[in-house]
Amino acid sequence: MTALPPGVLTPGLAMWRSVVERNLVSFRRQWAAFVTGFAEPVFYLLSLGIGVGSLVPFVTTDGGSRVTYAAFVAPAMLAASAMNGAVMDSTFNVFFKLKYAKIYDAVLATPLGPRDIAVGEVAWSLIRGGVYALVFYLVALAVGVVESWWSVLAVPAAIFIGLAFSAVGMFATTFMRSWVDFDWIMLVIQPLFLLSATFFPLATYPGWAQPIVMATPLYHGVALERGLMLGEVGWGLLWHVGYLLVLGVVGIWATSRRIETLLRA
Amino acid sequence: MALPSSTAPRAGARHLHGARSPLRPIERVLAVAGYFAVVYKRTWQGSLFSRFVSPLLFLLAMGLGLGSLVDAASGGVDGVPYLAFVAPGMVAVQAMMTAVSESTYPVYGLFTWNRMYHTMLATPLRVSDLLLGHLMVVAAQGTIAAAAFVLVAAIFSSFSSAWVVLAVPVGLLVTLAFAIPLFGFTARAKGDSSFNVVYRLVITPLMLFSGVFFPVDRLPFVLEALAWLTPLWHGVELTRGAATGEFAAVDIVHLAVLLTFIGFGWVYAHTGMTRKLVS
């Protein structure tokens, strides 16, 4: 090994960390946007838990247990907020950096490569999402909607959800032509949010719709979180983890390919 | 050759050189409204999703999906199927959402990014013309959004009375009750990042806690009292009354609150815009 002074960047030494560092610095000035990010799922949890919970005292989950509506909905809100956070970070913010701020052009003029950008951005969004998931988990714990010790795994599980959605989201962003195209993102995200067995169990859907719901990525996130937070744990949960992991890895690989063609070609 | 009579000089005709008669107030307002109507005519497709598809999805998920749980567990809300409870409230939410999306970023852009308001003020237009003309188009959009949602929800037979058509003018009032104060807020905003915070800390909680998805009396008393202060709750109560055709004396209060927001909002918006554009 050649001796390098500490702090000097060399290719192959996980240089994506500088991308994360840059995000960290830039968010110091936008603390309000950062801090309020966790508020939305908490509002949903309280509204549905207190309000709708008074209309629906108990729900029978797909796993067969009877739980309060708040306990049913809390894991879904955790999964949905992991998705939302990851998608917002990897689409709006990345698009701005890609097209307007030209940050990636600047990054590629340094020893960093396209894969460092893809990995760095995804890693940053996982850090941010992880913080939100942790805060949400603590709120859920405080209002007493967590049913099982397995729920300590809910925060790491949220990171898998974030990984899948930020990788795919960033890949989609590389195809965007202008802000108008973001309507397509909303067109995907909102049905996922509302119809992934988030607000009511899979058994409520008509028979033909159930396989469609089960094929979507947020469904796996919700099922994973719900299994952990309600203590319905089995080997079957690994299937959900696998689905999200594959989506994430393929997404990162494809994104770095796209950045390569977009900015180096 | 003699001029055709249509181009013959008339007293005060504006296409002639020399002193012109001033624009009448109605002409000034319609000039502004005309500009925004042209912009809307070119960009309305972009709002199709947020205005029509998204509320339809909410109706499917909340009204039908969640509704089947509510109806099975407690037979609906106060004797009404859950879908019939949620749908009228969603009309008011639609109006609010339209007002919010039209009075934050787009208005901020006219102040800061393309400075269109400054351009307009360089003509014989005045601040109140800008405000009134722009609001006319925002109000029209809110009314269209409310009407479209009433139509769509009627297909799912969410309403029990033909009085539900009154939910459309209520939607207009709700649009104005949000749009006008927000114009004032936007005129005073230091940067566009404050809108994100408003969405997260004001608009989303309003949607969730103003009696749209469950009656506010299920809330702790402090939160219930807070709901009474918001224009959305009053709008929701009115649209719900329209959906069943049952009106009560208290509806006068709901109307009065919405009109108060519009009235004070006008002063707040007008002073804010004057300070931003004229001083």
Side-chain angles (χ1 to χ4, degrees):
Chain A
M1 288 272 313
T2 45
L4 275 171
V8 168
L9 290 165
T10 26
L13 282 182
M15 291 195 299
W16 52 268
R17 281 176 305 179
S18 340
V19 177
V20 174
E21 221 173 288
R22 192 214 156 261
N23 278 311
L24 212 60
V25 172
S26 96
F27 258 90
R28 273 188 209 155
R29 289 187 164 278
Q30 303 173 45
W31 61 269
F34 192 94
V35 171
T36 55
F38 85 95
E40 199 150 320
V42 171
F43 284 136
Y44 266 94
L45 173 65
L46 296 181
S47 164
L48 295 164
I50 303 175
V52 178
S54 75
L55 302 170
V56 187
F58 290 98
V59 185
T60 308
T61 66
D62 294 313
S65 49
R66 244 163 77 91
V67 294
T68 64
Y69 190 68
F72 175 79
V73 127
M77 290 302 105
L78 180 51
S81 87
M83 169 185 81
N84 272 327
V87 169
M88 291 304 138
D89 246 352
S90 65
T91 56
F92 286 89
N93 293 352
V94 165
F95 185 70
F96 180 75
K97 292 177 196 168
L98 188 69
K99 291 265 164 162
Y100 294 92
K102 302 273 179 206
I103 282 171
Y104 301 137
D105 297 75
V107 169
L108 289 181
T110 70
L112 274 76
R115 205 201 302 137
D116 295 311
I117 296 175
V119 175
E121 287 294 356
V122 170
W124 160 247
S125 101
L126 295 188
I127 292 169
R128 192 177 167 188
V131 173
Y132 290 156
L134 184 64
V135 174
F136 182 87
Y137 176 67
L138 294 177
V139 171
L141 212 55
V143 297
V145 294
V146 175
E147 306 265 315
S148 154
W149 279 106
W150 283 102
S151 66
V152 292
L153 292 178
V155 176
I159 291 179
F160 281 108
I161 301 172
L163 170 72
F165 279 99
S166 78
V168 173
M170 197 167 165
F171 177 63
T173 305
T174 60
F175 290 96
M176 303 263 158
R177 296 157 300 172
S178 82
W179 296 106
V180 181
D181 285 340
F182 280 84
D183 269 14
W184 292 103
I185 304 268
M186 298 315 290
L187 202 58
V188 175
I189 292 304
Q190 197 147 39
L192 284 183
F193 173 59
L194 291 169
L195 301 170
S196 293
T198 23
F199 296 103
F200 38 93
L202 192 63
T204 320
Y205 292 84
W208 57 267
Q210 292 184 13
I212 302 175
V213 172
M214 289 173 80
T216 62
L218 185 61
Y219 168 76
H220 293 275
V222 171
L224 176 61
E225 292 292 358
R226 197 165 273 151
L228 290 170
M229 284 174 77
L230 299 179
E232 297 172 344
V233 178
W235 291 108
L237 288 187
L238 288 179
W239 164 235
H240 302 309
V241 177
Y243 182 108
L244 297 168
L245 199 62
V246 168
L247 211 55
V249 171
V250 172
I252 291 179
W253 172 78
T255 304
S256 42
R257 289 284 303 267
R258 282 286 301 162
I259 292 180
E260 176 86 44
T261 42
L262 275 182
L263 300 183
R264 284 245 169 109
Chain B
M1 207 171 96
L3 286 167
S5 63
S6 62
T7 55
R10 278 178 287 118
R14 292 205 178 96
H15 63 281
L16 296 177
H17 292 288
R20 304 171 189 199
S21 58
L23 288 168
R24 282 177 291 138
I26 183 79
E27 288 175 309
R28 299 199 305 261
V29 172
L30 288 182
V32 178
Y35 166 77
F36 287 107
V38 169
V39 173
Y40 181 55
K41 220 169 91 185
R42 295 203 181 150
T43 55
W44 62 273
Q45 289 98 332
S47 59
L48 273 187
F49 175 72
S50 58
R51 297 287 154 72
F52 302 104
V53 183
S54 158
L56 184 65
L57 285 170
F58 259 92
L59 194 72
L60 280 177
M62 298 304 194
L64 294 174
L66 184 58
S68 72
L69 292 184
V70 174
D71 294 346
S74 44
V77 187
D78 306 330
V80 186
Y82 192 64
L83 177 66
F85 176 80
V86 164
M90 291 289 301
V91 177
V93 169
Q94 259 307 84
M96 171 180 81
M97 289 301 187
T98 309
V100 172
S101 68
E102 291 303 317
S103 339
T104 49
Y105 291 98
V107 172
Y108 187 79
L110 296 166
F111 282 123
T112 336
W113 294 323
N114 64 9
R115 304 198 138 230
M116 190 56 80
Y117 281 149
H118 294 81
T119 313
M120 290 175 168
L121 277 184
T123 70
L125 299 170
R126 300 166 193 181
V127 171
S128 53
D129 303 327
L130 305 191
L131 193 49
L132 202 57
H134 195 166
L135 280 170
M136 277 169 76
V137 175
V138 174
Q141 293 186 50
T143 313
I144 294 170
F149 189 80
V150 168
L151 265 180
V152 169
I155 296 170
F156 292 88
S157 53
S158 320
F159 309 117
S160 56
S161 159
W163 284 108
V164 72
V165 293
L166 284 184
V168 177
V170 172
L172 166 66
L173 286 182
V174 172
T175 308
L176 290 175
F178 278 96
I180 302 179
L182 276 171
F183 268 68
F185 175 81
T186 303
R188 290 168 176 82
K190 294 271 180 286
D192 62 320
S193 62
S194 51
F195 300 133
N196 219 332
V197 178
V198 170
Y199 283 153
R200 281 171 176 166
L201 298 188
V202 180
I203 302 304
T204 305
L206 276 184
M207 179 183 88
L208 291 171
F209 295 99
S210 293
V212 178
F213 298 113
F214 56 90
V216 286
D217 59 22
R218 310 294 166 110
L219 288 170
F221 180 73
V222 182
L223 284 178
E224 188 187 350
L226 215 61
W228 297 339
L229 300 178
T230 68
L232 185 61
W233 180 70
H234 296 277
V236 169
E237 289 295 298
L238 284 173
T239 48
R240 199 159 279 151
T244 55
E246 288 160 19
F247 300 100
V250 70
D251 288 338
I252 305 286
V253 179
H254 297 315
L255 269 179
V257 172
L258 290 180
L259 292 174
T260 309
F261 269 92
I262 293 172
F264 281 100
W266 177 271
V267 178
Y268 178 66
H270 195 270
T271 50
M273 284 179 78
T274 308
R275 212 175 295 165
K276 178 98 180 176
L277 296 169
V278 180
S279 59

